[in-house]
Amino acid sequence: MKASVQRVVTALQEAGIETEVKEFAASTRTAEDAAAAIGVSVGQIVKSLVFLAGDQAVLALVSGPNRADTQKLAQLTGSTITRADADTVRKLTGFAIGGVPPLGHATPLKTFCDRDLLQYDVIWAAAGTPNAVFAITPADLERLPGVQVADICVAQELQ
Ligand code: 5CA
């Protein structure tokens, strides 16, 4: 197991979440890839997207087909929102894009969770690499440190 996956396993244990990381030969780099590899709907995939609110890092946990709304994030944080570039994502989270998990980051990240994720019994998030995922209940995702459920996505009809 890669060190980056091991860090997620440790973080899950520390958070008291009982789950298993699954590694695939196929890519789970995007929500579509992950859904196909796992055999679930794209809506059940948690995208972990890093933004900067001013100079503060913010994580948006977004259901696969949805898009984060930077204006809603700006209202929630009170700061202008920009997308973190790949290097910044790696520095802030300790993980490369495509494998960024919702927990176990190098720095604590204020985290907003898309309400749409709450409708499923089980959802799947990246586990440190573009081939690793883990299952989690929405209730457990909500309980992770720093997580706030909010309306953070572009309205469906505008997508
Ligand atoms: N493993 C999958 C499913 S769990 C995953 O990590 N999906 S993700 O959506 O959280 O991560 C990929 C996302 O990274 C893409 O949706 C895209 O929005 C973002 N991304 C891709 N390239 C860049 C880049 N160069 N800079 C900033 N963000 C990027």
Side-chain angles (χ1 to χ4, degrees), residues 4-146:
S4 52
V5 178
Q6 189 57 56
R7 291 206 304 277
V8 179
V9 171
T10 302
L12 285 164
Q13 283 167 351
E14 283 172 2
I17 294 167
E18 286 195 24
T19 182
E20 215 177 298
V21 168
K22 289 202 172 173
E23 294 190 89
F24 289 89
S27 165
T28 59
R29 182 179 298 276
T30 66
E32 290 76 13
D33 286 353
I38 301 162
V40 295
S41 72
V42 181
Q44 283 170 274
I45 303 300
V46 182
K47 298 192 288 192
S48 300
L49 308 174
V50 183
F51 294 89
L52 296 171
D55 57 7
Q56 216 207 339
V58 168
L59 188 68
L61 304 178
V62 175
S63 173
N66 290 355
R67 283 178 47 208
D69 186 327
T70 51
Q71 297 199 1
K72 288 177 180 170
L73 290 171
Q75 273 173 3
L76 284 161
T77 58
S79 301
T80 304
I81 297 288
T82 54
R83 194 71 185 262
D85 65 25
D87 285 346
T88 307
V89 170
R90 190 186 276 277
K91 196 174 91 203
L92 292 168
T93 68
F95 300 93
I97 281 170
V100 177
L103 77 172
H105 306 124
T107 56
L109 302 180
K110 173 71 195 156
T111 303
F112 295 102
C113 176
D114 175 6
R115 281 192 203 288
D116 281 358
L117 287 168
L118 307 186
Q119 66 188 290
Y120 302 103
D121 291 338
V122 64
I123 50 185
W124 295 78
T129 70
N131 298 87
V133 291
F134 67 91
I136 187 169
T137 64
D140 279 344
L141 190 70
E142 264 190 79
R143 276 198 291 270
L144 292 178

